[in-house]
Amino acid sequence: MTTATDTAAPIAAASAQRRSAELERLIQQAPERFRVMTGDRPTGQLHLGHYFGTLHNRVRLQDLGVDVFLIIADYQVLTDRDVADRLTDHMEGMLLDYLAIGIDPARTTVFNHSAVPALNQLMLPFLSLVSVAELSRNPTVKDEIAHSRQSAVSGLMFTYPVHQAADILFCKGNLVPVGQDQLPHLEVTRTVARRFNERYGAVFPEPDALLSAAPLLLGTDGTKMSKSRGNSIALCATADETARLIRGAKTDTDRHITYDPENRPEVSGLVLLAALCLGRDPHGVAEEVGAGGGAALKRTVTDAVNSRLAPIRARRAEYAQDMAYVRSVLRAGNERANEIAEATLDEVRGVMGGVL
């Protein structure tokens, strides 16, 4: 028997899919109407899962003329970690990857969390607009807690969705590219914006989700590609490192290669990776490898990945020769983000009677 709770998530996802299709049409017609807010936590190297899942879509939106804000969420590293290891290295590596894939600082504002104090001041009034129960039952928070590296969950973990609300709303972002699993987080942001506007006056937009159509990429061990699982192929990996990682990837005992994600997830994950890199249909790639077996498949994947990453690696190496410029990109982004955050905070103080 299906209950209302069972059907709520699929219904919400279906609605978000329809809205995303409509938003894509509107973006093509009037990109200047939109401000995108998105970003990453600097907890390790960006990898191919990030590239096909989110990074190339950010470049696409930027190139269409959308105003893109890209946050390096250094404060949020502490939500599920006791310390922020090698934070500066990870931040600079992330900047290099952003520039290498085509992020243009003239059209995309790149900034880091800790450099924008006014953004974080929004947390206090925002937290007053949601209940502990609402935060506790957020499915994304539950999942984060289940996979937390900490011996005990800190209070910061429960504020994670509200912190994201501050990230999005400080610049009045009205469009957030997300995966389906992140819809609950965005719903918190929409709730915060709506309740703030109802209580104090119209200040914030209720941002829309732009659902990603990117398929799930599996890592070299056959599970979801993830920095924390050590099964990913980093964008900064050398050609030789990439080849070694792919050689060690899981396959199965059937020598004939097919694309069948349900029954052959490991093989199909490799086929899909090659297809994405080549811009081809995965069934065609599998058919081409055919009876060549796992070894032939891995050669095909290695060639496809290294070919796709070669220009990105070349640009990254070039930017790495001028780290003064790379750091200046972040400084300029921080300046713009601070100006906008201060203006938003002044507006919030005004409608709240100057209590902040």
Side-chain angles (χ1 to χ4, degrees):
M1 180 177 174
T2 303
T3 67
T5 304
D6 295 330
T7 58
I11 289 171
S15 176
Q17 295 253 356
R18 288 192 298 271
R19 178 59 176 158
S20 290
E22 180 186 354
L23 287 166
E24 287 288 356
R25 289 193 295 272
L26 293 173
I27 290 168
Q28 295 291 333
Q29 295 167 6
E32 69 280 358
R33 289 176 51 189
F34 296 95
R35 175 171 281 176
V36 161
M37 176 65 214
T38 185
D40 304 284
R41 293 194 301 166
T43 55
Q45 297 170 333
L46 294 177
H47 53 67
L48 283 170
H50 296 119
Y51 180 74
F52 287 112
T54 61
L55 298 178
H56 76 106
N57 191 41
R58 297 171 188 174
V59 176
R60 178 185 74 92
L61 291 167
Q62 164 197 276
D63 292 347
L64 284 171
V66 174
D67 188 14
V68 178
F69 276 69
L70 187 48
I71 187 171
I72 299 177
D74 51 349
Y75 272 177
Q76 289 181 4
V77 171
L78 295 175
T79 55
D80 62 353
R81 286 163 171 76
D82 295 320
V83 293
D85 293 326
R86 298 179 56 206
L87 188 58
T88 300
D89 290 345
H90 290 324
M91 286 176 60
E92 291 187 347
M94 196 166 279
L95 269 169
L96 285 170
D97 286 335
Y98 287 163
L99 295 169
I101 65 164
I103 290 295
D104 179 0
R107 295 178 291 168
T108 292
T109 302
V110 184
F111 67 101
N112 63 297
H113 222 158
S114 58
V116 189
L119 182 165
N120 295 291
Q121 278 186 265
L122 292 173
M123 277 277 285
L124 185 61
F126 285 180
L127 279 168
S128 74
L129 298 168
V130 292
S131 69
V132 172
E134 285 174 316
L135 295 175
S136 298
R137 63 174 175 258
N138 183 289
T140 316
V141 170
K142 288 181 180 178
D143 185 65
E144 291 283 351
I145 289 172
H147 293 90
S148 174
R149 296 180 177 186
Q150 294 175 310
S151 55
V153 176
S154 71
L156 192 60
M157 179 67 81
F158 286 95
T159 70
Y160 189 29
V162 182
H163 213 161
Q164 286 195 329
D167 296 342
I168 296 164
L169 297 176
F170 95 94
C171 65
K172 300 189 179 180
N174 59 4
L175 193 63
V176 185
V178 294
Q180 189 170 310
D181 61 332
Q182 295 168 303
L183 286 174
H185 267 338
L186 187 58
E187 195 53 43
V188 172
T189 300
R190 290 172 57 83
T191 298
V192 165
R194 182 171 60 255
R195 290 177 182 172
F196 186 95
N197 294 341
E198 290 170 351
R199 183 175 297 182
Y200 300 110
V203 172
F204 298 109
E206 291 184 37
D208 278 304
L210 186 67
L211 280 183
S212 169
L216 175 67
L217 264 185
L218 298 184
T220 54
D221 61 354
T223 66
K224 180 182 176 181
M225 191 175 287
S226 166
K227 287 181 286 189
S228 60
R229 294 177 182 176
N231 64 355
S232 59
I233 299 170
L235 297 182
C236 63
T238 67
D240 287 343
E241 288 169 342
T242 299
R244 176 180 57 78
L245 288 165
I246 294 171
R247 279 198 303 271
K250 281 187 176 182
T251 54
D252 58 32
T253 57
D254 187 346
R255 183 171 176 80
H256 190 84
I257 300 303
T258 58
Y259 182 65
D260 183 358
E262 185 174 345
N263 297 307
R264 304 184 71 186
E266 295 93 349
V267 165
S268 297
L270 288 171
V271 171
L272 177 61
L273 179 53
L276 289 170
C277 289
L278 295 168
R280 293 179 53 191
D281 178 75
H283 294 281
V285 172
E287 186 176 341
E288 194 170 281
V289 176
L297 173 61
K298 290 178 182 181
R299 285 194 299 271
T300 297
V301 177
T302 299
D303 290 345
V305 171
N306 279 333
S307 177
R308 182 67 178 250
L309 290 183
I312 295 174
R313 290 170 178 149
R315 287 192 295 267
R316 194 182 197 279
E318 187 176 344
Y319 282 118
Q321 296 301 309
D322 189 0
M323 289 305 296
Y325 167 74
V326 173
R327 293 174 187 128
S328 76
V329 167
L330 190 59
R331 281 198 303 274
N334 287 341
E335 287 176 10
R336 184 181 185 218
N338 268 296
E339 289 174 4
I340 291 171
E342 288 288 354
T344 300
L345 189 59
D346 283 346
E347 190 175 359
V348 166
R349 285 178 178 135
V351 299
M352 292 184 67
V355 297
L356 283 181

